Amino acid sequence: MSDHTAQQLTPREMVRAHAYPVLAAISSLSLAAIALLQIPQAVKAHRYNRCVDAQIQLRENKALQGQSGPGKLIYLKAVQHCEGL
């Protein structure tokens, strides 16, 4: 870079020289902002899934030994409860 010490860059050359680092910084910052904005939705979905799982466990009927999992009605009632309907 010793050959550029006394040389004055034109505005166009300045833009070309700094375009990539500036655009990379903007891209990185926007990616970080998008990731931070996803946190509340992830927390909400996690809590909703925990609510549905807890309601299914509460509503399971021990008399239904032949089923491999909760029935459709138990699942729908659990979802209805967690959605506040």
Side-chain angles (χ1 to χ4, degrees):
M1 296 288 292
S2 62
D3 57 341
H4 293 293
T5 54
Q7 187 180 21
Q8 192 70 359
L9 296 176
T10 65
R12 173 177 272 176
E13 290 171 339
M14 288 286 272
V15 168
R16 284 186 176 175
H18 295 94
Y20 182 78
V22 169
L23 290 176
I26 291 172
S27 175
S28 297
L29 290 175
S30 66
L31 184 61
I34 290 170
L36 287 175
L37 291 173
Q38 292 297 316
I39 291 173
Q41 184 66 26
V43 169
K44 181 181 174 185
H46 179 69
R47 288 181 181 163
Y48 179 79
N49 288 338
R50 282 189 11 211
C51 177
V52 169
D53 290 342
Q55 287 298 314
I56 287 174
Q57 286 180 354
L58 287 174
R59 295 174 189 272
E60 270 185 333
N61 188 356
K62 299 300 179 188
L64 301 174
Q65 296 295 333
Q67 285 186 340
S68 60
K72 189 88 156 173
L73 184 60
I74 293 173
Y75 175 75
L76 291 175
K77 289 303 250 180
V79 168
Q80 183 181 16
H81 173 80
C82 293
E83 288 182 356
L85 298 176

